[in-house]
Amino acid sequence: MQNLTFLIFWSGRKFLFHQFLNVLFKKTPYFFPGYKDRLVKFDENGNVAIKTADNKNDYKNINSYAVNGAVHYANALLHYTDYEDIISIGVTGCKDESGKLQHEIGVYYVSSKNYGYGQEVAKYTDLSFLKKENFDSFVEKVKSLNLTEEEKNKSTEKREAEISSSLVKLNNDIYKNESGLGESAYFYYRQNLIFIFDNYYNFIYNYVMIVKNNLMSDLQQISDSHNKIITVEAASEKNISRALLSLMAEDGRLNRIAKGIYTLPETIPDELYILCLFSDNIIFSHESALFCNGLSERTPFEHSYTLPQGKRLSSSFSKGFKSYYCKQELFNLGKITVKTAFGNEVPCYDAERTICDVLKDKNKMDPEVYLAALKMYSKSENKNLKNLSMYAEKMNIVKKVRSALEVIL
């Protein structure tokens, strides 16, 4: 922001600042008649209104309101010159009933950094902020201006609408103006159109790539801070919509794991952790608990969990998992927390509760996994026979546990 450009708009007349000074300091005084309450007009979003609903220049407001005119021409300078930081000053006024001049001033910052938005710098009643002794303070105020995330998103939508509108107009002009051209003129006309389209699409491509890179950077940050998953809720905090996530999944730029949950394409999902996000009533058991407790060397083809009786998971969430149920009073018996292979903590039953579950549901288990688990438990230095006996009594399977222990110990 080393070079600020000033644009003055006085009741429908625009000046660059040096031109305005010439008017101010001429010996013969000038009075430009203005109108009451014609300083600035805002749109429904609270922004300076310079575009219509169909994204065309709103000349009614541009010509009628001082600030609107200043912001409009500031955007023209951004688009067609090398100016990057522009102070738009709208001035209007009129004489009151006593003949005294009453005036209003609006000072707005327009820049490529704020996407051409008109951001009000501060409230001013005169131009004394341009004096040498006040100017540094004024510049600091300008530097402190920032767009909110909502304003950034609306600005992006505004630019996309402008690009779309320009493309439609250009396409219509092509077909409207081609008729009546001679062969030679037609050739050069088409060559120029090709050149225009190439450059226009290069601009659009570069713009889209910037947006895409920012989007992927935001998604990577969400993934890194949320255990390698991207939820709709976390994405919305970055102003990334549910619809956009769905479209990216359809295009293969995201993997949809379950409703409202996505991962980046290169990420291997942690199924155990993801399932826990849908319910606090899940405890991993049986085959999954054997694997997590080191009592099975085989990664389960289907992970298993236990729910309290009367609780259910949606089939869309539980698809590919084995569900078991137990009485509410036994649900938390032997519950511990273990880390998955991805380092995420999930609820699981300890080795002793898992052995009890395996013995109780022997007919639902793979015989090979069942026998291997009993042998590995018998050889474990960390087995707790006291807890095993207590769990067996509470689960009413003392005979089954005793019989199994007689064989393996």
Side-chain angles (χ1 to χ4, degrees):
M1 199 180 292
Q2 296 177 348
N3 298 306
L4 283 175
T5 303
F6 288 81
L7 180 69
I8 314 293
F9 200 86
W10 187 309
S11 300
R13 297 170 175 82
K14 60 181 182 295
F15 306 89
L16 287 175
F17 187 53
H18 63 84
Q19 295 172 318
F20 184 67
L21 291 179
N22 288 337
V23 171
L24 286 181
F25 294 107
K26 281 188 175 181
K27 291 182 179 179
T28 304
Y30 280 76
F31 170 65
F32 298 110
Y35 302 94
K36 187 178 180 181
D37 299 325
R38 287 299 179 93
L39 180 65
V40 60
K41 179 70 175 293
F42 298 104
D43 61 21
E44 60 184 9
N45 295 316
N47 303 316
V48 178
I50 59 175
K51 293 288 185 180
T52 61
D54 56 355
N55 206 49
K56 294 180 180 179
N57 289 330
D58 189 347
Y59 288 112
K60 180 179 179 181
N61 288 328
I62 290 169
N63 293 328
S64 299
Y65 295 88
V67 168
N68 298 60
V71 171
H72 166 72
Y73 286 104
N75 271 274
L77 288 176
L78 286 180
H79 289 173
Y80 301 113
T81 73
D82 293 331
Y83 295 118
E84 294 182 355
D85 299 286
I86 302 170
I87 300 299
S88 301
I89 304 176
V91 183
T92 190
C94 62
K95 289 182 178 179
D96 60 21
E97 294 179 355
S98 64
K100 185 177 179 180
L101 180 64
Q102 303 291 339
H103 68 274
E104 293 180 285
I105 297 175
V107 183
Y108 285 71
Y109 174 52
V110 180
S111 168
S112 56
K113 299 181 184 68
N114 63 19
Y115 307 97
Y117 256 81
Q119 290 180 276
E120 188 174 25
V121 179
K123 301 289 184 184
Y124 296 99
T125 57
D126 55 38
L127 299 177
S128 60
F129 61 88
L130 296 175
K131 288 184 178 180
K132 184 177 180 180
E133 60 268 28
N134 299 328
F135 194 70
D136 287 344
S137 175
F138 172 75
V139 171
E140 289 304 313
K141 284 185 178 180
V142 173
K143 287 181 178 179
S144 68
L145 297 175
N146 290 298
L147 289 178
T148 65
E149 286 299 321
E150 182 179 1
E151 288 172 334
K152 288 179 182 179
N153 289 331
K154 288 181 179 178
S155 296
T156 301
E157 292 173 1
K158 171 186 170 186
R159 290 299 181 221
E160 289 174 347
E162 289 176 357
I163 291 171
S164 177
S165 177
S166 298
L167 280 176
V168 171
K169 184 178 184 301
L170 183 59
N171 185 59
N172 290 338
D173 288 345
I174 291 171
Y175 290 102
K176 184 187 297 182
N177 296 326
E178 276 188 1
S179 60
L181 294 176
E183 184 177 348
S184 177
Y186 178 83
F187 172 77
Y188 286 110
Y189 179 72
R190 295 297 293 176
Q191 288 298 105
N192 285 329
L193 281 179
I194 292 171
F195 173 78
I196 291 170
F197 269 116
D198 283 346
N199 282 278
Y200 205 90
Y201 279 111
N202 282 338
F203 162 74
I204 294 173
Y205 174 78
N206 289 333
Y207 174 79
V208 170
M209 288 304 293
I210 291 171
V211 174
K212 177 184 176 182
N213 289 337
N214 290 339
L215 173 63
M216 295 310 296
S217 175
D218 285 343
L219 290 174
Q220 184 67 61
Q221 289 178 15
I222 295 171
S223 176
D224 291 344
S225 60
H226 290 78
N227 298 308
K228 300 302 180 183
I229 64 170
I230 299 166
T231 64
V232 169
E233 292 75 16
S236 67
E237 293 177 4
K238 293 276 189 180
N239 295 302
I240 301 172
S241 69
R242 179 189 295 268
L244 180 55
L245 293 176
S246 181
L247 285 173
M248 293 182 71
E250 290 179 10
D251 291 342
R253 288 177 288 167
L254 287 178
N255 292 329
R256 187 177 185 275
I257 306 303
K259 184 178 180 181
I261 294 184
Y262 301 83
T263 64
L264 295 173
E266 66 275 13
T267 301
I268 300 174
D270 187 345
E271 295 178 336
L272 298 183
Y273 175 72
I274 290 172
L275 189 64
C276 289
L277 296 177
F278 295 104
S279 176
D280 295 330
N281 295 314
I282 289 175
I283 299 179
F284 290 103
S285 62
H286 298 78
E287 291 91 343
S288 295
L290 288 174
F291 182 76
C292 291
N293 282 289
L295 299 178
S296 175
E297 296 177 349
R298 183 188 298 182
T299 303
F301 179 73
E302 289 182 311
H303 282 291
S304 307
Y305 60 82
T306 292
L307 292 168
Q309 287 180 350
K311 301 290 184 180
R312 293 290 186 274
L313 283 183
S314 168
S315 59
S316 61
F317 298 148
S318 59
K319 186 178 180 181
F321 291 83
K322 291 175 68 174
S323 303
Y324 293 88
Y325 300 90
C326 72
K327 295 178 181 179
Q328 181 66 57
E329 59 267 26
L330 298 176
F331 180 64
N332 289 310
L333 184 67
K335 179 183 176 182
I336 60 172
T337 298
V338 297
K339 284 190 175 183
T340 68
F342 299 88
N344 297 314
E345 292 188 345
V346 296
C348 180
Y349 287 126
D350 64 14
E352 284 66 36
R353 168 64 188 264
T354 302
I355 290 298
C356 288
D357 283 333
V358 167
L359 292 170
K360 181 172 66 73
D361 297 314
K362 176 181 177 181
N363 294 334
K364 298 179 182 179
M365 299 288 299
D366 181 318
E368 187 177 338
V369 172
Y370 166 80
L371 291 173
L374 293 180
K375 289 179 181 179
M376 292 183 74
Y377 180 75
S378 68
K379 297 177 182 178
S380 173
E381 296 180 357
N382 297 319
K383 59 179 175 290
N384 189 326
L385 297 178
K386 182 178 178 180
N387 281 350
L388 181 65
S389 178
M390 179 184 67
Y391 295 164
E393 186 174 346
K394 289 187 176 183
M395 296 173 68
N396 199 25
I397 55 169
V398 173
K399 289 184 178 180
K400 288 185 178 181
V401 171
R402 189 172 295 162
S403 297
L405 291 178
E406 290 175 354
V407 173
I408 64 177
L409 294 178

